[in-house]
Amino acid sequence: MAAGAGAVAVSGGARAARAQVQTKAHIVILGAGAAGAALANRLTERLDGAQITIVDGRAEHWYQPGFSLIAAGLKPASYSVSQTTDWLPKGVTLKADWAAEIDPEARKLRLQGGETLTYDYLIVATGLTLDHAAIEGFSLDLVGKDGIGALYAGPQYAARTWQAASAFVEQGGVGIFTRPATEMKCAGAPLKHTFLIDDIARDAGTRGKMDLTYAANNNSLFGVPIVAEKVRMLFGDRGIDAQYAHVLRAIEPGAKRAIFDTPEGRVERDYDYLHVIPPQRAPDVVRQSGLSWADKWVDQGWVEVDKHNLRHRRYSEVFALGDVAGVPKGKTAASVKWQVPVVEDHLVAQIAGDTAETSYHGYTSCPLITRVGRAMLIEFDYNDNLVPSFPGVIAPLEELWISWLMKEVALKATYNAMLRGKA
Ligand SMILES: Cc1cc2nc3c(=O)[nH]c(=O)nc-3n(C[C@H](O)[C@H](O)[C@H](O)COP(=O)(O)OP(=O)(O)OC[C@H]3O[C@@H](n4cnc5c(N)ncnc54)[C@H](O)[C@@H]3O)c2cc1C
């Protein structure tokens, strides 16, 4: 079975025990999020004697798929928050600090607090940064009031987004939902927010006094053509207007005006509710390290890795996975689930002086919520093939209650199992 976000919930049993590889290697993992924590747990099982250091300056672990539910008033902010230390295995050293400089030639890095670490192997799992400063006039202080939402920014901002969105649901007016022109994590999330606010307004009896517009960054509503077409049809059914090639450039919060770059030049639109998702890039420390692609995504700085084994193309002792990896798909937690065993196998084989065959094929999954209680379980690969986990049981392009349950109930348990290295 091609198991995905959903399938893990039913197939996440014990893995076959394998002989541990003995080593004294020092492995440094940057980031203790979905990818870093999951990999740390698996490496401690596979290696005997390795020194594993994980670096992360954030004390809280954020379950980000929950942000969409928080921003629709369906969960409290606390739903997405745990402690970073909750997920780390014994025997791993946590440096509660930020990587500030990476020198891949010298195999060392400097932490913000001044400490220097050397490594034999480096795993870059820093996730991505949200470039809110790229939207002129926008500041996170605005979120939650005067019709501004920004649910990507964290659990508290997702909760404040619901404050602004619920006021809009009551009062009505013009709602505009944006997405950036860069690569982004969970490209379904801007659509989910649009569908959810539409549905909640219908339930509240206020949909009739609203105009809803989804501003797509290019000429499509989703990166996979067959899904884009399905979303286009659903938008038609729900009366949600789609504006193509509209990239949010600036806002005037006092006037409640959004300014978009379009092929025809700058276009101004007044709003009562505006959902902002800013451009997304690799963290500065990664972009300045020389590890990024030089000829792709130059404004974004994703790490230059082989798309099948996730090893750096110029530094064989460096791997990157999760949102920061420079691969054509895969910025979801469900992708991380498939990337972690690949990095694990190739790294362990390398340490043992061997090679591995495990390969990542771009698996990406998005339980695309289309209303409260309904979702489409969209799963695809590098070639835009749909790769359903439950063929014949869960149809990917149908709005199903079971797919909603995958998102609302099963995904968090699956995610937590993945963090522990068990899925
Ligand atoms: C609104 C929203 C909805 C989503 N919905 C879904 C969904 O339905 N399904 C799904 O599969 N995925 C979803 N995702 C995507 C998913 O959450 C991410 O793809 C996943 O968390 C990526 O894991 P990661 O480890 O690469 O990054 P993260 O989990 O973000 O972890 C990165 C870690 O690196 C740390 N870090 C950053 N900079 C440094 C530094 N300089 N030094 C040290 N540490 C650093 C951070 O503090 C963080 O802890 C969603 C995301 C969002 C925002």
Side-chain angles (χ1 to χ4, degrees):
M1 169 163 46
V8 183
V10 293
S11 69
R15 287 178 295 140
R18 278 182 278 188
Q20 285 191 320
V21 170
Q22 302 227 333
T23 179
K24 298 234 171 310
H26 184 205
I27 301 166
V28 174
I29 303 176
L30 299 184
L39 187 65
N41 275 291
R42 293 174 76 110
L43 288 178
T44 50
E45 279 187 28
R46 295 286 305 276
L47 299 172
D48 179 17
Q51 185 195 346
I52 301 177
T53 304
I54 192 160
V55 180
D56 200 318
R58 201 170 67 206
E60 286 185 351
H61 182 100
W62 290 349
Y63 169 65
Q64 298 167 52
F67 294 0
S68 298
L69 302 174
I70 298 166
L74 299 168
K75 299 281 181 197
S78 59
Y79 176 71
S80 281
V81 180
S82 58
Q83 297 304 302
T84 297
T85 47
D86 293 346
W87 306 106
L88 299 182
K90 284 201 190 90
V92 163
T93 305
L94 171 66
K95 299 280 178 190
D97 200 348
W98 303 99
E101 207 177 311
I102 306 169
D103 180 348
E105 294 294 336
R107 296 189 189 180
K108 67 177 188 192
L109 50 106
R110 189 177 55 77
L111 306 186
Q112 212 171 64
E115 191 176 351
T116 299
L117 300 177
T118 56
Y119 61 81
D120 298 306
Y121 299 95
L122 178 69
I123 313 293
V124 186
T126 55
L128 52 72
T129 54
L130 302 169
D131 187 1
H132 288 109
I135 312 284
E136 284 164 44
F138 178 82
S139 133
L140 282 172
D141 295 341
L142 298 168
V143 179
K145 10 177 218 217
D146 296 331
I148 302 262
L151 75 86
Y152 269 60
Q156 298 303 336
Y157 291 107
R160 287 203 224 164
T161 296
W162 173 238
Q163 281 173 23
S166 55
F168 171 60
V169 165
E170 243 171 67
Q171 289 148 24
V174 174
I176 306 178
F177 299 79
T178 69
R179 60 145 288 163
T182 58
E183 300 289 326
M184 64 181 297
K185 50 185 165 188
C186 196
L191 296 166
K192 292 177 214 177
H193 191 55
T194 314
F195 280 124
L196 279 170
I197 299 309
D198 167 78
D199 190 46
I200 291 166
R202 283 172 199 279
D203 209 42
T206 55
R207 181 64 177 88
K209 49 180 186 172
M210 280 180 177
D211 283 328
L212 300 185
T213 297
Y214 183 82
N217 64 305
N218 56 23
N219 291 323
S220 165
L221 294 172
F222 197 79
V224 179
I226 191 170
V227 179
E229 181 54 18
K230 178 73 189 186
V231 171
R232 195 188 65 76
M233 287 163 61
L234 288 174
F235 274 5
D237 287 349
R238 310 270 157 93
I240 298 169
D241 186 31
Q243 292 282 339
Y244 295 95
H246 272 56
V247 179
L248 185 65
R249 168 64 52 198
I251 63 167
E252 292 171 15
K256 288 194 166 180
R257 188 165 300 135
I259 296 137
F260 292 89
D261 281 338
T262 76
E264 286 76 43
R266 292 207 162 184
V267 169
E268 294 186 356
R269 297 278 311 262
D270 292 343
Y271 63 80
D272 296 289
Y273 177 66
L274 178 72
H275 187 246
V276 177
I277 305 179
Q280 306 190 6
R281 311 183 202 281
D284 283 349
V285 61
V286 173
R287 297 179 69 194
Q288 290 156 7
S289 67
L291 291 171
S292 303
W293 285 96
D295 57 352
K296 284 189 215 177
W297 301 297
V298 281
D299 61 330
Q300 295 160 56
W302 313 117
V303 179
E304 182 183 348
V305 290
D306 177 279
K307 70 178 186 178
H308 291 302
N309 64 28
L310 306 172
R311 177 183 276 119
H312 200 277
R313 283 159 41 100
R314 288 175 282 119
Y315 299 97
S316 62
E317 66 288 349
V318 177
F319 291 82
L321 75 168
D323 295 342
V324 77
V327 294
K329 298 256 194 288
K331 293 196 190 325
T332 66
S335 316
V336 167
K337 190 241 168 239
W338 287 103
Q339 294 173 353
V340 167
V342 171
V343 174
E344 171 199 343
D345 280 356
H346 284 270
L347 176 59
V348 171
Q350 191 170 348
I351 288 172
D354 203 350
T355 56
E357 297 300 321
T358 327
S359 182
Y360 173 62
H361 297 288
Y363 179 89
T364 305
S365 162
C366 172
L368 183 49
I369 299 170
T370 53
R371 61 180 65 173
V372 177
R374 288 283 183 277
M376 300 188 294
L377 186 57
I378 309 281
E379 301 166 280
F380 51 90
D381 65 11
Y382 279 141
N383 298 321
D384 290 340
N385 294 317
L386 295 182
V387 287
S389 291
F390 305 99
V393 181
I394 299 185
L397 296 176
E398 275 178 37
E399 299 177 78
L400 300 172
W401 178 70
I402 183 77
S403 302
W404 160 262
L405 284 186
M406 291 290 174
K407 169 80 185 180
E408 215 258 344
V409 182
L411 186 57
K412 190 172 181 189
T414 303
Y415 177 92
N416 290 348
M418 176 183 83
L419 289 185
R420 297 230 182 268
K422 303 287 183 218

Short mmCIF file of all heavy atoms in Angstrom, two decimals, residues 142-192:
data_model
loop_
_atom_site.label_atom_id
_atom_site.label_comp_id
_atom_site.label_asym_id
_atom_site.label_seq_id
_atom_site.Cartn_x
_atom_site.Cartn_y
_atom_site.Cartn_z
N LEU A 142 -0.88 43.60 13.54
CA LEU A 142 -2.21 43.89 12.98
C LEU A 142 -3.14 42.68 13.03
O LEU A 142 -4.36 42.83 12.90
CB LEU A 142 -2.07 44.31 11.51
CG LEU A 142 -1.27 45.58 11.21
CD1 LEU A 142 -0.98 45.68 9.72
CD2 LEU A 142 -2.05 46.80 11.68
N VAL A 143 -2.56 41.50 13.22
CA VAL A 143 -3.36 40.27 13.07
C VAL A 143 -4.42 40.18 14.16
O VAL A 143 -4.12 40.35 15.35
CB VAL A 143 -2.46 39.01 13.10
CG1 VAL A 143 -3.29 37.74 12.98
CG2 VAL A 143 -1.42 39.08 12.00
N GLY A 144 -5.65 39.95 13.75
CA GLY A 144 -6.74 39.77 14.72
C GLY A 144 -7.64 41.00 14.82
O GLY A 144 -8.74 40.93 15.34
N LYS A 145 -7.15 42.14 14.33
CA LYS A 145 -8.01 43.32 14.36
C LYS A 145 -8.16 43.90 12.95
O LYS A 145 -7.36 43.57 12.07
CB LYS A 145 -7.48 44.40 15.31
CG LYS A 145 -6.09 44.19 15.83
CD LYS A 145 -5.60 45.31 16.69
CE LYS A 145 -4.12 45.52 16.37
NZ LYS A 145 -3.30 45.86 17.45
N ASP A 146 -9.13 44.74 12.80
CA ASP A 146 -9.34 45.44 11.53
C ASP A 146 -9.28 44.52 10.32
O ASP A 146 -8.73 44.85 9.27
CB ASP A 146 -8.31 46.58 11.37
CG ASP A 146 -8.52 47.63 12.44
OD1 ASP A 146 -9.68 47.78 12.88
OD2 ASP A 146 -7.53 48.25 12.85
N GLY A 147 -9.81 43.31 10.50
CA GLY A 147 -9.99 42.44 9.34
C GLY A 147 -8.74 41.80 8.79
O GLY A 147 -8.69 41.46 7.61
N ILE A 148 -7.71 41.61 9.61
CA ILE A 148 -6.48 40.98 9.11
C ILE A 148 -6.28 39.62 9.78
O ILE A 148 -6.27 39.51 11.01
CB ILE A 148 -5.23 41.84 9.42
CG1 ILE A 148 -5.37 43.22 8.80
CG2 ILE A 148 -3.96 41.13 8.96
CD1 ILE A 148 -4.70 43.41 7.50
N GLY A 149 -6.08 38.60 8.95
CA GLY A 149 -5.72 37.28 9.45
C GLY A 149 -4.37 36.86 8.88
O GLY A 149 -3.98 37.33 7.80
N ALA A 150 -3.64 36.01 9.60
CA ALA A 150 -2.35 35.48 9.11
C ALA A 150 -2.10 34.19 9.88
O ALA A 150 -1.35 34.17 10.85
CB ALA A 150 -1.22 36.49 9.32
N LEU A 151 -2.74 33.13 9.46
CA LEU A 151 -2.76 31.92 10.30
C LEU A 151 -1.45 31.14 10.28
O LEU A 151 -1.22 30.31 11.15
CB LEU A 151 -3.94 31.03 9.91
CG LEU A 151 -3.90 30.18 8.64
CD1 LEU A 151 -3.23 28.84 8.86
CD2 LEU A 151 -5.33 29.95 8.17
N TYR A 152 -0.56 31.41 9.32
CA TYR A 152 0.71 30.67 9.27
C TYR A 152 1.66 31.04 10.40
O TYR A 152 2.59 30.30 10.69
CB TYR A 152 1.42 30.94 7.93
CG TYR A 152 1.06 29.94 6.86
CD1 TYR A 152 -0.25 29.79 6.44
CD2 TYR A 152 2.04 29.15 6.27
CE1 TYR A 152 -0.59 28.87 5.48
CE2 TYR A 152 1.72 28.22 5.29
CZ TYR A 152 0.40 28.09 4.90
OH TYR A 152 0.07 27.17 3.94
N ALA A 153 1.46 32.21 11.00
CA ALA A 153 2.52 32.78 11.85
C ALA A 153 2.70 32.08 13.20
O ALA A 153 3.65 32.37 13.91
CB ALA A 153 2.25 34.27 12.05
N GLY A 154 1.82 31.18 13.57
CA GLY A 154 1.96 30.47 14.85
C GLY A 154 0.60 30.26 15.48
O GLY A 154 -0.40 30.82 15.02
N PRO A 155 0.55 29.45 16.55
CA PRO A 155 -0.75 29.12 17.15
C PRO A 155 -1.52 30.35 17.65
O PRO A 155 -2.74 30.44 17.46
CB PRO A 155 -0.39 28.21 18.33
CG PRO A 155 1.04 27.83 18.15
CD PRO A 155 1.67 28.75 17.18
N GLN A 156 -0.79 31.30 18.26
CA GLN A 156 -1.49 32.50 18.77
C GLN A 156 -2.03 33.34 17.62
O GLN A 156 -3.12 33.90 17.71
CB GLN A 156 -0.55 33.35 19.65
CG GLN A 156 -0.05 32.63 20.90
CD GLN A 156 -1.21 32.13 21.78
OE1 GLN A 156 -2.33 32.65 21.75
NE2 GLN A 156 -0.93 31.08 22.56
N TYR A 157 -1.24 33.42 16.54
CA TYR A 157 -1.71 34.20 15.38
C TYR A 157 -2.87 33.50 14.68
O TYR A 157 -3.76 34.14 14.13
CB TYR A 157 -0.56 34.49 14.42
CG TYR A 157 0.44 35.45 15.02
CD1 TYR A 157 1.68 35.03 15.45
CD2 TYR A 157 0.10 36.80 15.20
CE1 TYR A 157 2.58 35.91 16.04
CE2 TYR A 157 0.99 37.68 15.79
CZ TYR A 157 2.22 37.23 16.21
OH TYR A 157 3.09 38.11 16.80
N ALA A 158 -2.84 32.17 14.70
CA ALA A 158 -3.97 31.44 14.12
C ALA A 158 -5.24 31.74 14.93
O ALA A 158 -6.32 31.95 14.37
CB ALA A 158 -3.68 29.94 14.11
N ALA A 159 -5.10 31.81 16.27
CA ALA A 159 -6.26 32.13 17.11
C ALA A 159 -6.73 33.57 16.87
O ALA A 159 -7.93 33.84 16.79
CB ALA A 159 -5.90 31.93 18.59
N ARG A 160 -5.77 34.48 16.69
CA ARG A 160 -6.16 35.87 16.40
C ARG A 160 -6.80 35.98 15.02
O ARG A 160 -7.66 36.83 14.79
CB ARG A 160 -4.92 36.77 16.46
CG ARG A 160 -4.43 37.00 17.86
CD ARG A 160 -3.63 38.28 17.87
NE ARG A 160 -2.43 38.13 18.64
CZ ARG A 160 -1.40 38.96 18.58
NH1 ARG A 160 -1.42 39.99 17.76
NH2 ARG A 160 -0.35 38.76 19.33
N THR A 161 -6.33 35.13 14.11
CA THR A 161 -6.94 35.11 12.77
C THR A 161 -8.43 34.77 12.90
O THR A 161 -9.28 35.38 12.23
CB THR A 161 -6.21 34.07 11.88
OG1 THR A 161 -4.87 34.52 11.71
CG2 THR A 161 -6.88 33.90 10.53
N TRP A 162 -8.74 33.83 13.78
CA TRP A 162 -10.16 33.48 13.99
C TRP A 162 -10.93 34.68 14.56
O TRP A 162 -12.09 34.90 14.21
CB TRP A 162 -10.30 32.24 14.86
CG TRP A 162 -11.72 31.95 15.24
CD1 TRP A 162 -12.23 31.84 16.50
CD2 TRP A 162 -12.84 31.74 14.35
NE1 TRP A 162 -13.59 31.59 16.46
CE2 TRP A 162 -13.99 31.52 15.15
CE3 TRP A 162 -12.98 31.74 12.95
CZ2 TRP A 162 -15.26 31.30 14.60
CZ3 TRP A 162 -14.24 31.52 12.41
CH2 TRP A 162 -15.36 31.29 13.24
N GLN A 163 -10.29 35.47 15.44
CA GLN A 163 -10.97 36.68 15.95
C GLN A 163 -11.39 37.57 14.79
O GLN A 163 -12.53 38.04 14.72
CB GLN A 163 -10.03 37.49 16.85
CG GLN A 163 -9.89 36.96 18.26
CD GLN A 163 -8.80 37.73 19.02
OE1 GLN A 163 -8.46 38.86 18.70
NE2 GLN A 163 -8.24 37.09 20.03
N ALA A 164 -10.45 37.82 13.87
CA ALA A 164 -10.78 38.70 12.73
C ALA A 164 -11.78 38.02 11.81
O ALA A 164 -12.74 38.65 11.34
CB ALA A 164 -9.51 39.04 11.96
N ALA A 165 -11.59 36.72 11.56
CA ALA A 165 -12.47 36.02 10.61
C ALA A 165 -13.88 35.90 11.17
O ALA A 165 -14.87 36.02 10.43
CB ALA A 165 -11.89 34.63 10.30
N SER A 166 -14.00 35.68 12.49
CA SER A 166 -15.35 35.51 13.05
C SER A 166 -16.10 36.84 13.07
O SER A 166 -17.32 36.86 12.86
CB SER A 166 -15.30 34.86 14.45
OG SER A 166 -14.47 35.59 15.29
N ALA A 167 -15.38 37.95 13.25
CA ALA A 167 -16.04 39.26 13.15
C ALA A 167 -16.54 39.47 11.72
O ALA A 167 -17.66 39.97 11.50
CB ALA A 167 -15.06 40.37 13.55
N PHE A 168 -15.73 39.04 10.76
CA PHE A 168 -16.12 39.15 9.35
C PHE A 168 -17.35 38.28 9.06
O PHE A 168 -18.28 38.70 8.36
CB PHE A 168 -14.93 38.74 8.48
CG PHE A 168 -15.24 38.60 7.01
CD1 PHE A 168 -15.72 39.68 6.27
CD2 PHE A 168 -15.02 37.39 6.35
CE1 PHE A 168 -16.00 39.54 4.92
CE2 PHE A 168 -15.28 37.25 5.00
CZ PHE A 168 -15.79 38.32 4.28
N VAL A 169 -17.36 37.08 9.63
CA VAL A 169 -18.51 36.19 9.43
C VAL A 169 -19.78 36.86 9.94
O VAL A 169 -20.85 36.77 9.32
CB VAL A 169 -18.27 34.83 10.13
CG1 VAL A 169 -19.56 34.03 10.26
CG2 VAL A 169 -17.22 34.01 9.38
N GLU A 170 -19.67 37.58 11.04
CA GLU A 170 -20.85 38.26 11.59
C GLU A 170 -21.29 39.44 10.72
O GLU A 170 -22.46 39.61 10.41
CB GLU A 170 -20.50 38.82 12.97
CG GLU A 170 -21.30 38.24 14.10
CD GLU A 170 -20.73 38.67 15.43
OE1 GLU A 170 -20.81 39.88 15.73
OE2 GLU A 170 -20.20 37.80 16.15
N GLN A 171 -20.28 40.25 10.31
CA GLN A 171 -20.61 41.52 9.65
C GLN A 171 -20.74 41.43 8.14
O GLN A 171 -21.42 42.25 7.51
CB GLN A 171 -19.56 42.57 10.01
CG GLN A 171 -19.65 43.01 11.47
CD GLN A 171 -18.29 43.38 12.06
OE1 GLN A 171 -17.37 43.72 11.32
NE2 GLN A 171 -18.16 43.28 13.37
N GLY A 172 -20.02 40.48 7.53
CA GLY A 172 -20.04 40.38 6.07
C GLY A 172 -19.13 41.40 5.42
O GLY A 172 -18.38 42.11 6.08
N GLY A 173 -19.22 41.50 4.08
CA GLY A 173 -18.37 42.42 3.32
C GLY A 173 -17.52 41.66 2.33
O GLY A 173 -17.89 40.58 1.87
N VAL A 174 -16.34 42.23 2.02
CA VAL A 174 -15.44 41.63 1.02
C VAL A 174 -14.31 40.88 1.72
O VAL A 174 -13.58 41.47 2.52
CB VAL A 174 -14.85 42.74 0.12
CG1 VAL A 174 -13.80 42.15 -0.83
CG2 VAL A 174 -15.95 43.44 -0.67
N GLY A 175 -14.19 39.61 1.42
CA GLY A 175 -13.10 38.80 1.99
C GLY A 175 -12.13 38.40 0.89
O GLY A 175 -12.56 37.92 -0.16
N ILE A 176 -10.84 38.63 1.13
CA ILE A 176 -9.82 38.26 0.13
C ILE A 176 -8.81 37.33 0.78
O ILE A 176 -8.30 37.61 1.87
CB ILE A 176 -9.09 39.52 -0.42
CG1 ILE A 176 -10.10 40.53 -0.96
CG2 ILE A 176 -8.11 39.11 -1.51
CD1 ILE A 176 -9.48 41.82 -1.49
N PHE A 177 -8.54 36.24 0.09
CA PHE A 177 -7.66 35.18 0.63
C PHE A 177 -6.45 35.06 -0.30
O PHE A 177 -6.63 34.83 -1.50
CB PHE A 177 -8.43 33.86 0.68
CG PHE A 177 -9.64 33.93 1.59
CD1 PHE A 177 -10.83 34.52 1.14
CD2 PHE A 177 -9.59 33.45 2.88
CE1 PHE A 177 -11.94 34.60 1.97
CE2 PHE A 177 -10.69 33.53 3.72
CZ PHE A 177 -11.87 34.11 3.27
N THR A 178 -5.25 35.23 0.25
CA THR A 178 -4.06 35.30 -0.60
C THR A 178 -3.13 34.11 -0.39
O THR A 178 -3.27 33.37 0.59
CB THR A 178 -3.26 36.58 -0.31
OG1 THR A 178 -2.67 36.48 1.00
CG2 THR A 178 -4.15 37.81 -0.38
N ARG A 179 -2.19 33.96 -1.29
CA ARG A 179 -1.07 33.03 -1.12
C ARG A 179 0.14 33.66 -1.81
O ARG A 179 0.01 34.46 -2.73
CB ARG A 179 -1.35 31.64 -1.66
CG ARG A 179 -1.66 31.52 -3.13
CD ARG A 179 -1.09 30.22 -3.70
NE ARG A 179 0.36 30.28 -3.80
CZ ARG A 179 1.14 29.21 -3.96
NH1 ARG A 179 0.62 28.01 -4.02
NH2 ARG A 179 2.47 29.33 -4.08
N PRO A 180 1.37 33.29 -1.37
CA PRO A 180 2.55 33.94 -1.94
C PRO A 180 2.94 33.34 -3.29
O PRO A 180 2.47 32.26 -3.66
CB PRO A 180 3.63 33.64 -0.90
CG PRO A 180 3.22 32.33 -0.31
CD PRO A 180 1.72 32.34 -0.29
N ALA A 181 3.88 34.02 -3.97
CA ALA A 181 4.36 33.53 -5.26
C ALA A 181 5.57 32.60 -5.09
O ALA A 181 6.03 32.02 -6.06
CB ALA A 181 4.73 34.70 -6.16
N THR A 182 6.08 32.48 -3.88
CA THR A 182 7.19 31.55 -3.62
C THR A 182 6.63 30.14 -3.42
O THR A 182 5.42 29.94 -3.32
CB THR A 182 7.93 31.93 -2.33
OG1 THR A 182 6.99 31.92 -1.26
CG2 THR A 182 8.60 33.28 -2.44
N GLU A 183 7.55 29.15 -3.31
CA GLU A 183 7.14 27.84 -2.80
C GLU A 183 6.57 28.06 -1.40
O GLU A 183 6.94 29.02 -0.71
CB GLU A 183 8.36 26.92 -2.67
CG GLU A 183 9.10 26.65 -3.96
CD GLU A 183 8.32 25.77 -4.90
OE1 GLU A 183 7.60 24.87 -4.42
OE2 GLU A 183 8.41 25.97 -6.12
N MET A 184 5.70 27.17 -0.96
CA MET A 184 5.13 27.35 0.37
C MET A 184 4.83 26.00 1.01
O MET A 184 4.66 25.00 0.31
CB MET A 184 3.85 28.18 0.32
CG MET A 184 2.73 27.53 -0.45
SD MET A 184 1.25 28.56 -0.51
CE MET A 184 0.81 28.66 1.21
N LYS A 185 4.77 25.99 2.36
CA LYS A 185 4.37 24.74 3.00
C LYS A 185 2.86 24.60 2.91
O LYS A 185 2.12 25.59 2.99
CB LYS A 185 4.86 24.67 4.45
CG LYS A 185 4.58 25.84 5.34
CD LYS A 185 5.25 25.64 6.69
CE LYS A 185 5.33 26.91 7.50
NZ LYS A 185 6.14 26.72 8.73
N CYS A 186 2.42 23.37 2.74
CA CYS A 186 1.00 23.04 2.63
C CYS A 186 0.22 24.02 1.76
O CYS A 186 -0.57 24.82 2.26
CB CYS A 186 0.35 22.92 4.00
SG CYS A 186 -1.23 22.06 3.87
N ALA A 187 0.44 23.92 0.46
CA ALA A 187 -0.21 24.85 -0.47
C ALA A 187 -1.73 24.71 -0.44
O ALA A 187 -2.45 25.54 -1.00
CB ALA A 187 0.32 24.61 -1.87
N GLY A 188 -2.25 23.69 0.24
CA GLY A 188 -3.70 23.57 0.39
C GLY A 188 -4.25 24.47 1.47
O GLY A 188 -5.46 24.77 1.48
N ALA A 189 -3.39 24.93 2.39
CA ALA A 189 -3.90 25.66 3.57
C ALA A 189 -4.62 26.97 3.22
O ALA A 189 -5.66 27.27 3.83
CB ALA A 189 -2.78 25.88 4.58
N PRO A 190 -4.13 27.76 2.24
CA PRO A 190 -4.90 28.97 1.89
C PRO A 190 -6.28 28.63 1.34
O PRO A 190 -7.25 29.38 1.58
CB PRO A 190 -4.03 29.66 0.84
CG PRO A 190 -2.88 28.77 0.55
CD PRO A 190 -2.83 27.69 1.57
N LEU A 191 -6.37 27.50 0.63
CA LEU A 191 -7.68 27.09 0.09
C LEU A 191 -8.60 26.63 1.23
O LEU A 191 -9.79 26.95 1.27
CB LEU A 191 -7.50 25.95 -0.91
CG LEU A 191 -6.71 26.29 -2.18
CD1 LEU A 191 -6.30 25.03 -2.93
CD2 LEU A 191 -7.53 27.20 -3.09
N LYS A 192 -8.01 25.87 2.18
CA LYS A 192 -8.81 25.37 3.31
C LYS A 192 -9.44 26.55 4.06
O LYS A 192 -10.60 26.50 4.45
CB LYS A 192 -7.94 24.61 4.31
CG LYS A 192 -7.36 23.30 3.83
CD LYS A 192 -6.45 22.70 4.91
CE LYS A 192 -5.29 21.96 4.30
NZ LYS A 192 -4.32 21.41 5.25
#
